[in-house]
Amino acid sequence: MNSTASSQMANHLATSARVDLRSDTVTRPTAGMREAMAKALVGDDVYKDDPSVNELQDKIAKMLGFEAALFMSTGTQSNLCGILSHCQRGDEFIVGQMAHCYRWEGGGAAVFGSVQPQPLTQQPDGSLLLSDIESAIKPDDSHFAMTNMVALENTWGGQVLPQTYLNEFSAFAKQKGLARHLDGARLFNAAVAQASALGTSPYDEVKKITQCFDSVSVCFSKGLGAPMGSALCGTKEFIAKAHRVRKMAGGGLRQAGFMAAAASYALDHHVLRLAEDHQLMAHLANGLSGIPGLQIETPQTNILFVNLVDGAKAKGAALQAHLKQEGIDMTGLYRLRFVTHLDVDRAGVDRAIGVIRQFFNA
Ligand SMILES: *Cc1c(COP(=O)(O)O)cnc(C)c1O
């Protein structure tokens, strides 16, 4: 290995002494990804001149079975551009009460687009009941905003929306004339988990999911391990609209190819390996099971929630401080969240299990 490559490697591993289970967004580019970024051909993407951006857009559109795709700075920007390309001022979209594109994106669709969200309570698995959607659709009457879009999120809190539900949802929304948007920030985690369960290919499963939607947003900066970026996919006509909205939203980037090359590398090398994150998460859940006061929610992908109940509930703050001191990072005080990703390994997870067991004398 030459000195540049070894210093890149060192940088990648520099902080790995800590076991960072806060989020799959904390990954740093691997040596291979850095090499792909350094070699990337670039141009001015506002003129559509960046070959690496164009290649990424073609690749993700093809992988998800859409005509076209657009590289976005963030998932938030991607959802915003998606909603504003489906909806006009005075329109509304139906969305889960706890969905990211309603609750966690600063109300962007309302703020920037004058598009009204109609939030609905989600089922425990993250789905929206079709009967709830039906009763939320407004009649064509001047009293009401015009309902013309519905959004789902997959994975939802690390859970995979059942394919049978997606199929029914898709037919129903289509029949009602609603545009169907998927916030698929962790879409590939869903596809990989679904494929593992069925013994099929994640590349086939991902299309089964996406074909239920008119537009899909997917993040490269989460489990796929790229430093930044998302893609919005849809028809050519839809993406042409989104291109205009993205410019308005300040997302017309110039030599973005360096980042697109990282995302492209992630699509080539980091999709199938998501299964390792899921296995590691199952190992963590298993390692924590049986500790009194810890209620473990069975993980389906790379996210685990652990509720502190009974006597353990009062120990949340102390546990968090103890974990931090022992070099383990996670989030939540009573409902702990752990996320596995490219930058944690079995040894790190075993260390986390050991420290938590020791804290509870279990
Ligand atoms: C992270 C996330 C987003 C937004 O991504 P950013 O890149 O952080 O803006 C959207 N939806 C879901 C479900 C997410 O987890």
Side-chain angles (χ1 to χ4, degrees):
M1 198 182 285
N2 65 33
S3 67
T4 315
S6 70
S7 72
Q8 285 168 354
M9 204 60 182
N11 182 298
H12 180 237
L13 297 172
T15 54
S16 65
R18 293 194 74 80
V19 180
D20 195 342
L21 299 165
R22 288 173 303 168
S23 174
D24 47 11
T25 55
V26 302
T27 57
R28 278 135 311 136
T30 60
M33 184 179 280
R34 283 166 188 267
E35 202 181 323
M37 293 169 76
K39 283 187 186 159
L41 299 175
V42 298
D44 187 338
D45 184 50
V46 169
Y47 294 114
K48 304 186 179 178
D49 269 356
D50 191 305
S52 300
V53 170
N54 293 338
E55 185 192 322
L56 171 69
Q57 290 174 166
D58 288 347
K59 186 183 290 185
I60 188 69
K62 201 167 281 167
M63 278 176 93
L64 303 191
F66 285 99
E67 278 176 14
L70 199 55
F71 188 47
M72 296 281 180
S73 308
T74 63
T76 299
Q77 187 177 67
S78 190
N79 281 328
L80 177 68
C81 292
I83 296 167
L84 267 52
S85 302
H86 284 303
C87 304
Q88 306 289 317
R89 280 169 67 88
D91 285 353
E92 81 169 4
F93 68 109
I94 293 172
V95 62
Q97 185 67 251
M98 298 299 284
H100 203 283
C101 69
Y102 166 59
R103 187 168 283 247
W104 308 92
E105 295 178 6
V111 174
F112 299 121
S114 301
V115 176
Q116 163 173 287
Q118 169 59 70
L120 297 179
T121 303
Q122 286 148 280
Q123 298 307 297
D125 67 359
S127 64
L128 298 173
L129 287 181
L130 302 187
S131 53
D132 286 348
I133 297 175
E134 180 150 37
S135 18
I137 299 171
K138 311 292 184 290
D140 185 1
D141 174 313
S142 61
H143 288 86
F144 304 117
M146 287 191 285
T147 317
N148 77 346
M149 192 199 111
V150 56
L152 293 180
E153 188 173 313
N154 197 14
T155 61
W156 154 254
Q159 298 183 86
V160 183
L161 290 183
Q163 186 67 49
T164 47
Y165 167 73
L166 292 183
N167 297 340
E168 285 164 22
F169 162 86
S170 169
F172 170 82
K174 209 168 173 178
Q175 181 221 329
K176 294 292 173 186
L178 301 179
R180 306 153 298 175
H181 176 70
L182 177 67
D183 178 356
R186 296 187 178 85
L187 169 66
F188 284 106
N189 291 88
V192 165
Q194 201 156 299
S196 301
L198 298 170
T200 50
S201 157
Y203 301 109
D204 292 338
E205 293 307 319
V206 82
K207 283 193 187 140
K208 282 193 209 161
I209 297 171
T210 56
Q211 74 187 12
C212 296
F213 296 90
D214 299 299
S215 58
V216 171
S217 171
V218 59
C219 286
F220 303 118
S221 58
K222 300 209 164 153
L224 294 179
M228 61 166 280
S230 286
L232 180 67
C233 302
T235 61
K236 277 189 184 146
E237 192 191 345
F238 171 82
I239 291 300
K241 279 191 205 165
H243 193 259
R244 181 177 287 270
V245 181
R246 187 186 68 172
K247 187 70 181 145
M248 257 197 284
L253 300 175
R254 303 295 180 175
Q255 284 72 26
F258 294 115
M259 292 302 159
S264 235
Y265 181 91
L267 289 176
D268 294 344
H269 298 94
H270 294 169
V271 171
L272 297 176
R273 66 150 305 285
L274 290 171
E276 295 170 31
D277 297 344
H278 301 174
Q279 281 155 14
L280 205 50
M281 186 44 86
H283 177 65
L284 176 61
N286 195 38
L288 297 180
S289 71
I291 303 176
L294 264 59
Q295 194 186 74
I296 316 276
E297 298 179 14
T298 308
Q300 293 182 14
T301 58
N302 68 328
I303 303 180
L304 172 70
F305 289 100
V306 176
N307 298 299
L308 298 185
V309 296
D310 307 327
K313 197 159 182 185
K315 296 184 183 163
L319 172 64
Q320 202 172 54
H322 181 69
L323 284 171
K324 195 165 181 187
Q325 194 193 339
E326 295 292 323
I328 317 269
D329 298 312
M330 52 95 203
T331 57
L333 226 44
Y334 309 112
R335 189 167 193 244
L336 315 180
R337 191 181 87 147
F338 299 91
V339 186
T340 50
H341 50 77
L342 201 56
D343 284 5
V344 283
D345 58 11
R346 176 100 175 190
V349 166
D350 282 337
R351 227 175 87 205
I353 295 169
V355 170
I356 295 168
R357 287 211 158 264
Q358 177 204 24
F359 179 85
F360 286 106
N361 296 311

mmCIF file of all heavy atoms in Angstrom, residues 94 118 120-121 123 127-138 150 165 168-169 172-173 175-176 178:
data_model
loop_
_atom_site.group_PDB
_atom_site.id
_atom_site.type_symbol
_atom_site.label_atom_id
_atom_site.label_comp_id
_atom_site.label_asym_id
_atom_site.label_seq_id
_atom_site.Cartn_x
_atom_site.Cartn_y
_atom_site.Cartn_z
ATOM 1 N N ILE A 94 -51.171 13.060 1.784
ATOM 2 C CA ILE A 94 -51.456 12.212 2.943
ATOM 3 C C ILE A 94 -50.163 11.515 3.339
ATOM 4 O O ILE A 94 -49.416 11.022 2.476
ATOM 5 C CB ILE A 94 -52.567 11.193 2.586
ATOM 6 C CG1 ILE A 94 -53.879 11.943 2.357
ATOM 7 C CG2 ILE A 94 -52.714 10.129 3.675
ATOM 8 C CD1 ILE A 94 -55.006 11.086 1.810
ATOM 9 N N GLN A 118 -51.536 16.128 5.253
ATOM 10 C CA GLN A 118 -52.656 15.555 6.005
ATOM 11 C C GLN A 118 -52.100 14.309 6.706
ATOM 12 O O GLN A 118 -52.089 13.221 6.140
ATOM 13 C CB GLN A 118 -53.805 15.192 5.062
ATOM 14 C CG GLN A 118 -54.911 14.345 5.701
ATOM 15 C CD GLN A 118 -55.560 15.018 6.905
ATOM 16 O OE1 GLN A 118 -56.281 15.996 6.767
ATOM 17 N NE2 GLN A 118 -55.288 14.509 8.099
ATOM 18 N N LEU A 120 -51.704 11.100 9.114
ATOM 19 C CA LEU A 120 -52.570 10.042 9.641
ATOM 20 C C LEU A 120 -51.762 9.177 10.604
ATOM 21 O O LEU A 120 -50.566 8.958 10.386
ATOM 22 C CB LEU A 120 -53.066 9.139 8.505
ATOM 23 C CG LEU A 120 -53.932 9.753 7.419
ATOM 24 C CD1 LEU A 120 -54.291 8.675 6.389
ATOM 25 C CD2 LEU A 120 -55.202 10.359 8.009
ATOM 26 N N THR A 121 -52.426 8.672 11.627
ATOM 27 C CA THR A 121 -51.763 7.770 12.560
ATOM 28 C C THR A 121 -51.355 6.495 11.838
ATOM 29 O O THR A 121 -52.165 5.893 11.130
ATOM 30 C CB THR A 121 -52.713 7.417 13.726
ATOM 31 O OG1 THR A 121 -53.103 8.646 14.336
ATOM 32 C CG2 THR A 121 -52.034 6.524 14.754
ATOM 33 N N GLN A 123 -49.990 2.535 11.575
ATOM 34 C CA GLN A 123 -50.078 1.262 12.289
ATOM 35 C C GLN A 123 -48.696 0.983 12.893
ATOM 36 O O GLN A 123 -47.705 1.578 12.477
ATOM 37 C CB GLN A 123 -50.498 0.154 11.314
ATOM 38 C CG GLN A 123 -51.870 0.386 10.697
ATOM 39 C CD GLN A 123 -52.941 0.626 11.753
ATOM 40 O OE1 GLN A 123 -53.223 -0.243 12.571
ATOM 41 N NE2 GLN A 123 -53.533 1.823 11.776
ATOM 42 N N SER A 127 -47.362 1.185 8.413
ATOM 43 C CA SER A 127 -48.280 1.318 7.272
ATOM 44 C C SER A 127 -49.417 2.289 7.603
ATOM 45 O O SER A 127 -49.677 2.593 8.770
ATOM 46 C CB SER A 127 -48.861 -0.057 6.912
ATOM 47 O OG SER A 127 -49.641 -0.551 7.982
ATOM 48 N N LEU A 128 -50.082 2.773 6.554
ATOM 49 C CA LEU A 128 -51.304 3.567 6.700
ATOM 50 C C LEU A 128 -52.458 2.672 6.268
ATOM 51 O O LEU A 128 -52.395 2.073 5.190
ATOM 52 C CB LEU A 128 -51.255 4.801 5.783
ATOM 53 C CG LEU A 128 -50.136 5.807 6.042
ATOM 54 C CD1 LEU A 128 -50.127 6.883 4.946
ATOM 55 C CD2 LEU A 128 -50.291 6.461 7.413
ATOM 56 N N LEU A 129 -53.491 2.566 7.107
ATOM 57 C CA LEU A 129 -54.648 1.763 6.711
ATOM 58 C C LEU A 129 -55.287 2.368 5.469
ATOM 59 O O LEU A 129 -55.485 3.584 5.404
ATOM 60 C CB LEU A 129 -55.692 1.732 7.837
ATOM 61 C CG LEU A 129 -55.391 0.888 9.080
ATOM 62 C CD1 LEU A 129 -56.564 0.977 10.055
ATOM 63 C CD2 LEU A 129 -55.103 -0.564 8.701
ATOM 64 N N LEU A 130 -55.634 1.514 4.508
ATOM 65 C CA LEU A 130 -56.246 2.028 3.283
ATOM 66 C C LEU A 130 -57.567 2.728 3.594
ATOM 67 O O LEU A 130 -57.912 3.740 2.972
ATOM 68 C CB LEU A 130 -56.450 0.891 2.267
ATOM 69 C CG LEU A 130 -55.165 0.132 1.876
ATOM 70 C CD1 LEU A 130 -55.456 -0.846 0.745
ATOM 71 C CD2 LEU A 130 -54.028 1.074 1.513
ATOM 72 N N SER A 131 -58.295 2.209 4.608
ATOM 73 C CA SER A 131 -59.564 2.847 4.984
ATOM 74 C C SER A 131 -59.308 4.241 5.570
ATOM 75 O O SER A 131 -60.106 5.163 5.371
ATOM 76 C CB SER A 131 -60.325 1.970 5.977
ATOM 77 O OG SER A 131 -59.495 1.646 7.079
ATOM 78 N N ASP A 132 -58.188 4.405 6.286
ATOM 79 C CA ASP A 132 -57.840 5.740 6.811
ATOM 80 C C ASP A 132 -57.493 6.696 5.668
ATOM 81 O O ASP A 132 -57.866 7.868 5.691
ATOM 82 C CB ASP A 132 -56.648 5.655 7.774
ATOM 83 C CG ASP A 132 -57.020 5.049 9.120
ATOM 84 O OD1 ASP A 132 -58.231 4.902 9.397
ATOM 85 O OD2 ASP A 132 -56.098 4.715 9.901
ATOM 86 N N ILE A 133 -56.756 6.174 4.701
ATOM 87 C CA ILE A 133 -56.407 7.016 3.543
ATOM 88 C C ILE A 133 -57.684 7.443 2.840
ATOM 89 O O ILE A 133 -57.892 8.626 2.538
ATOM 90 C CB ILE A 133 -55.480 6.263 2.558
ATOM 91 C CG1 ILE A 133 -54.140 5.910 3.224
ATOM 92 C CG2 ILE A 133 -55.237 7.105 1.296
ATOM 93 C CD1 ILE A 133 -53.206 5.061 2.359
ATOM 94 N N GLU A 134 -58.568 6.452 2.632
ATOM 95 C CA GLU A 134 -59.817 6.735 1.914
ATOM 96 C C GLU A 134 -60.614 7.835 2.606
ATOM 97 O O GLU A 134 -61.082 8.774 1.964
ATOM 98 C CB GLU A 134 -60.657 5.456 1.797
ATOM 99 C CG GLU A 134 -61.961 5.687 1.062
ATOM 100 C CD GLU A 134 -62.418 4.449 0.311
ATOM 101 O OE1 GLU A 134 -62.223 3.332 0.851
ATOM 102 O OE2 GLU A 134 -62.963 4.597 -0.790
ATOM 103 N N SER A 135 -60.742 7.748 3.956
ATOM 104 C CA SER A 135 -61.552 8.787 4.615
ATOM 105 C C SER A 135 -60.850 10.138 4.674
ATOM 106 O O SER A 135 -61.498 11.145 4.938
ATOM 107 C CB SER A 135 -62.032 8.358 6.009
ATOM 108 O OG SER A 135 -61.303 7.310 6.521
ATOM 109 N N ALA A 136 -59.517 10.143 4.434
ATOM 110 C CA ALA A 136 -58.798 11.427 4.474
ATOM 111 C C ALA A 136 -58.821 12.153 3.133
ATOM 112 O O ALA A 136 -58.509 13.339 3.066
ATOM 113 C CB ALA A 136 -57.358 11.200 4.910
ATOM 114 N N ILE A 137 -59.177 11.436 2.065
ATOM 115 C CA ILE A 137 -59.216 12.081 0.741
ATOM 116 C C ILE A 137 -60.368 13.084 0.700
ATOM 117 O O ILE A 137 -61.510 12.726 0.977
ATOM 118 C CB ILE A 137 -59.380 11.035 -0.388
ATOM 119 C CG1 ILE A 137 -58.178 10.070 -0.387
ATOM 120 C CG2 ILE A 137 -59.521 11.713 -1.746
ATOM 121 C CD1 ILE A 137 -58.333 8.877 -1.320
ATOM 122 N N LYS A 138 -60.064 14.340 0.394
ATOM 123 C CA LYS A 138 -61.091 15.389 0.416
ATOM 124 C C LYS A 138 -61.942 15.341 -0.850
ATOM 125 O O LYS A 138 -61.421 15.088 -1.934
ATOM 126 C CB LYS A 138 -60.434 16.769 0.512
ATOM 127 C CG LYS A 138 -59.373 16.909 1.590
ATOM 128 C CD LYS A 138 -59.953 16.849 2.991
ATOM 129 C CE LYS A 138 -58.892 17.096 4.042
ATOM 130 N NZ LYS A 138 -57.931 15.987 4.156
ATOM 131 N N VAL A 150 -49.847 10.653 -1.807
ATOM 132 C CA VAL A 150 -49.722 9.931 -0.542
ATOM 133 C C VAL A 150 -48.290 9.408 -0.453
ATOM 134 O O VAL A 150 -47.715 8.993 -1.458
ATOM 135 C CB VAL A 150 -50.788 8.809 -0.425
ATOM 136 C CG1 VAL A 150 -50.729 7.828 -1.591
ATOM 137 C CG2 VAL A 150 -50.658 8.040 0.897
ATOM 138 N N TYR A 165 -48.823 -5.642 1.544
ATOM 139 C CA TYR A 165 -49.427 -4.342 1.850
ATOM 140 C C TYR A 165 -49.103 -3.337 0.748
ATOM 141 O O TYR A 165 -49.981 -2.606 0.270
ATOM 142 C CB TYR A 165 -48.948 -3.818 3.216
ATOM 143 C CG TYR A 165 -49.304 -2.365 3.422
ATOM 144 C CD1 TYR A 165 -50.621 -1.978 3.679
ATOM 145 C CD2 TYR A 165 -48.334 -1.358 3.297
ATOM 146 C CE1 TYR A 165 -50.965 -0.629 3.815
ATOM 147 C CE2 TYR A 165 -48.673 -0.019 3.424
ATOM 148 C CZ TYR A 165 -49.987 0.341 3.689
ATOM 149 O OH TYR A 165 -50.324 1.669 3.804
ATOM 150 N N GLU A 168 -51.223 -3.839 -2.313
ATOM 151 C CA GLU A 168 -52.602 -3.367 -2.126
ATOM 152 C C GLU A 168 -52.674 -1.842 -2.092
ATOM 153 O O GLU A 168 -53.547 -1.223 -2.700
ATOM 154 C CB GLU A 168 -53.188 -3.925 -0.819
ATOM 155 C CG GLU A 168 -53.562 -5.388 -0.916
ATOM 156 C CD GLU A 168 -53.775 -6.022 0.451
ATOM 157 O OE1 GLU A 168 -54.045 -5.289 1.424
ATOM 158 O OE2 GLU A 168 -53.658 -7.270 0.535
ATOM 159 N N PHE A 169 -51.710 -1.255 -1.376
ATOM 160 C CA PHE A 169 -51.624 0.211 -1.271
ATOM 161 C C PHE A 169 -51.507 0.826 -2.660
ATOM 162 O O PHE A 169 -52.183 1.798 -3.003
ATOM 163 C CB PHE A 169 -50.405 0.594 -0.420
ATOM 164 C CG PHE A 169 -49.967 2.015 -0.604
ATOM 165 C CD1 PHE A 169 -50.544 3.047 0.133
ATOM 166 C CD2 PHE A 169 -48.973 2.341 -1.530
ATOM 167 C CE1 PHE A 169 -50.147 4.366 -0.060
ATOM 168 C CE2 PHE A 169 -48.580 3.653 -1.737
ATOM 169 C CZ PHE A 169 -49.165 4.671 -0.997
ATOM 170 N N PHE A 172 -54.679 0.614 -4.729
ATOM 171 C CA PHE A 172 -55.687 1.483 -4.132
ATOM 172 C C PHE A 172 -55.416 2.957 -4.456
ATOM 173 O O PHE A 172 -56.304 3.686 -4.918
ATOM 174 C CB PHE A 172 -55.707 1.265 -2.611
ATOM 175 C CG PHE A 172 -56.536 2.256 -1.863
ATOM 176 C CD1 PHE A 172 -57.914 2.086 -1.774
ATOM 177 C CD2 PHE A 172 -55.950 3.371 -1.266
ATOM 178 C CE1 PHE A 172 -58.695 3.023 -1.099
ATOM 179 C CE2 PHE A 172 -56.718 4.303 -0.593
ATOM 180 C CZ PHE A 172 -58.090 4.134 -0.510
ATOM 181 N N ALA A 173 -54.164 3.393 -4.219
ATOM 182 C CA ALA A 173 -53.822 4.806 -4.428
ATOM 183 C C ALA A 173 -53.971 5.184 -5.904
ATOM 184 O O ALA A 173 -54.418 6.281 -6.239
ATOM 185 C CB ALA A 173 -52.399 5.084 -3.947
ATOM 186 N N GLN A 175 -56.014 3.792 -8.060
ATOM 187 C CA GLN A 175 -57.434 3.853 -8.356
ATOM 188 C C GLN A 175 -58.035 5.178 -7.871
ATOM 189 O O GLN A 175 -58.958 5.720 -8.481
ATOM 190 C CB GLN A 175 -58.105 2.643 -7.688
ATOM 191 C CG GLN A 175 -59.588 2.503 -7.900
ATOM 192 C CD GLN A 175 -60.291 2.070 -6.615
ATOM 193 O OE1 GLN A 175 -59.715 1.346 -5.781
ATOM 194 N NE2 GLN A 175 -61.520 2.530 -6.457
ATOM 195 N N LYS A 176 -57.490 5.691 -6.755
ATOM 196 C CA LYS A 176 -57.990 6.959 -6.209
ATOM 197 C C LYS A 176 -57.344 8.171 -6.881
ATOM 198 O O LYS A 176 -57.596 9.316 -6.498
ATOM 199 C CB LYS A 176 -57.710 7.017 -4.694
ATOM 200 C CG LYS A 176 -58.481 5.991 -3.886
ATOM 201 C CD LYS A 176 -59.970 6.309 -3.890
ATOM 202 C CE LYS A 176 -60.763 5.204 -3.222
ATOM 203 N NZ LYS A 176 -62.223 5.438 -3.360
ATOM 204 N N LEU A 178 -54.208 9.117 -6.675
ATOM 205 C CA LEU A 178 -53.178 9.769 -5.858
ATOM 206 C C LEU A 178 -51.785 9.387 -6.355
ATOM 207 O O LEU A 178 -51.522 8.213 -6.629
ATOM 208 C CB LEU A 178 -53.286 9.317 -4.392
ATOM 209 C CG LEU A 178 -54.608 9.577 -3.668
ATOM 210 C CD1 LEU A 178 -54.544 9.037 -2.247
ATOM 211 C CD2 LEU A 178 -54.909 11.086 -3.659
#
